[in-house]
Amino acid sequence: MTANWQGNGGLVAATVLGLALLLALPQIVDPVMMIELTSYVIMAILALSLGLIWGYGGILCFGQSAFFGIGAYAYAIAVINFGDSTIPLLLSIVVPGLFAALLGYFLFYARITDVYFGVITLTVTLILYKVMGATSGSQYVIGVAPLGGYNGIPAVPPLNLPGRPDAALSFDGLFYLSGLMLLAVYVGLRLMLKSRFGQVVVAIRENERRAELLGYDARFYKLVTFAIGGAIAGLAGCLFANWGMFISPDVFGLAQSAQVIIWVIVGGTGTLLGPIVGCFAIQWVATKLGAQQLLNANLVLGTILIGFVLLVPKGVVPTVSDALRRLKFRPYVATLVEQRRVP
């Protein structure tokens, strides 16, 4: 009972802290920084999706940006055709989730191993990049929405209040919505991982053969986890299309796929907080490096990644958590950070 209270207390504390930051940040930062923070929050949702699939499901996916891009394109195409954003928002979650389920079905039930799974998902992403890039002609139209090829889809209509296309969200409104979505995804995943389903998923990650001998269909649990991660990535894609009011095949690019993996590695796998921390930290560093001409940004980021892999292989959050535990802060830290644990 005490452990349950500590876990629920930590979740409540994280929720309150998240809401406090969400309300306070717009009051203390300038508008330009607010735009940057909004992109950080959106990408943190994408990082969480891979944190679930890889960190807890043990599924090495190199193509998480595929679901991100599908969600963005699904929203952009649908909102241009419908006008109102309510249905397009739902489609941006459902379509990539179904695509992930379909792809995962063929891969998991074919018993594709981890390395080949990563290669196939990356290949699918690059195929989508090429396919969408080849849609520049006037004949490539879905409804009234031109796909635009490598030029992308400009002037994507923003989200609006349900049933009110004239009540579009402002940039501040998009920040609040993105922050609430990040908080909702984080809390939802925490609760899911505490459930019987989540415990089985972690058990399969630790020892798939043992879980199957106990009667669990590892393929089914992996498939559902993969589909949930795809749907979350699609939500991030929808918000990203709103943030830039533009979407292009670059969302399927190799750079986009790689940076999601970097965020999770730096923050730490096997946690939900880690991908968020890694995403915010790396994006902030990349922004600062991009503002100067002295150092090559890609070289510095590559050096950081190599340093973390060699010196901090667990990532920031698990390493800090272990250090605090050694300082006898175990009861407090255990409520905030989810470490790898066999149920």
Side-chain angles (χ1 to χ4, degrees):
M1 184 174 180
T2 302
N4 289 335
W5 182 88
Q6 288 178 344
N8 293 333
L11 185 57
V12 171
T15 303
V16 172
L17 178 60
L19 289 173
L21 288 173
L22 186 62
L23 294 174
L25 285 175
Q27 312 302 323
I28 60 178
V29 300
D30 59 82
V32 175
M33 188 60 190
M34 278 294 299
I35 295 175
E36 290 185 13
L37 283 175
T38 303
S39 71
Y40 296 175
V41 171
I42 292 170
M43 291 304 182
I45 298 175
L46 175 59
L48 266 181
S49 69
L50 183 61
L52 169 67
I53 292 175
W54 186 16
Y56 287 93
I59 304 166
L60 184 58
C61 178
F62 287 157
Q64 200 65 10
S65 61
F67 313 122
F68 178 74
I70 290 173
Y73 267 99
Y75 171 80
I77 293 169
V79 76
I80 291 174
N81 282 281
F82 290 120
D84 179 76
S85 68
T86 305
I87 295 178
L89 173 60
L90 297 176
L91 288 175
S92 70
I93 300 172
V94 173
V95 172
L98 290 176
F99 181 79
L102 181 63
L103 178 63
Y105 175 80
F106 289 107
L107 296 181
F108 292 125
Y109 282 84
R111 298 288 186 179
I112 300 298
T113 57
D114 291 342
V115 174
Y116 290 108
F117 189 97
V119 172
I120 291 173
T121 51
L122 178 59
T123 302
V124 168
T125 305
L126 297 179
I127 290 173
L128 289 172
Y129 174 76
K130 290 294 185 181
V131 168
M132 296 309 299
T135 58
S136 58
S138 59
Q139 69 272 27
Y140 295 104
V141 179
I142 299 179
V144 296
L147 298 181
Y150 288 110
N151 293 323
I153 303 177
V156 176
L159 288 163
N160 57 262
L161 296 179
R164 296 179 56 189
D166 57 330
L169 287 182
S170 62
F171 272 113
D172 285 348
L174 180 61
F175 171 77
Y176 288 124
L177 177 63
S178 301
L180 287 174
M181 289 297 101
L182 174 60
L183 195 58
V185 169
Y186 175 80
V187 172
L189 291 180
R190 281 282 298 267
L191 294 175
M192 186 194 79
L193 291 168
K194 287 179 178 292
S195 69
R196 182 175 178 271
F197 174 85
Q199 292 176 343
V200 173
V201 168
V202 175
I204 291 172
R205 180 200 65 192
E206 296 295 334
N207 194 318
E208 184 172 337
R209 180 63 61 85
R210 182 185 300 171
E212 289 181 333
L213 290 175
L214 291 173
Y216 296 107
D217 187 350
R219 298 169 299 179
F220 171 76
Y221 282 91
K222 284 186 172 183
L223 177 60
V224 174
T225 303
F226 192 59
I228 292 173
I232 294 172
L235 171 62
C238 168
L239 296 173
F240 180 75
N242 276 269
W243 176 77
M245 293 184 289
F246 170 79
I247 193 67
S248 75
D250 288 340
V251 294
F252 299 112
L254 184 61
Q256 181 70 43
S257 300
Q259 68 178 353
V260 185
I261 298 172
I262 293 172
W263 297 337
V264 177
I265 290 175
V266 171
T269 57
T271 75
L272 292 179
L273 185 60
I276 298 175
V277 172
C279 176
F280 272 77
I282 294 299
Q283 286 195 100
W284 181 82
V285 171
T287 300
K288 295 302 180 183
L289 289 174
Q292 53 83 44
Q293 302 297 325
L294 182 61
L295 299 173
N296 183 281
N298 291 328
L299 178 61
V300 174
L301 290 174
T303 303
I304 291 174
L305 174 61
I306 294 173
F308 269 92
V309 171
L310 296 177
L311 303 177
V312 194
K314 290 184 178 180
V316 172
V317 172
T319 301
V320 172
S321 173
D322 291 344
L324 292 176
R325 282 192 173 92
R326 287 194 292 270
L327 293 174
K328 299 182 180 180
F329 289 130
R330 180 188 299 269
Y332 175 72
V333 176
T335 65
L336 295 178
V337 180
E338 313 86 359
Q339 290 296 336
R340 298 183 179 185
R341 187 179 295 117
V342 180

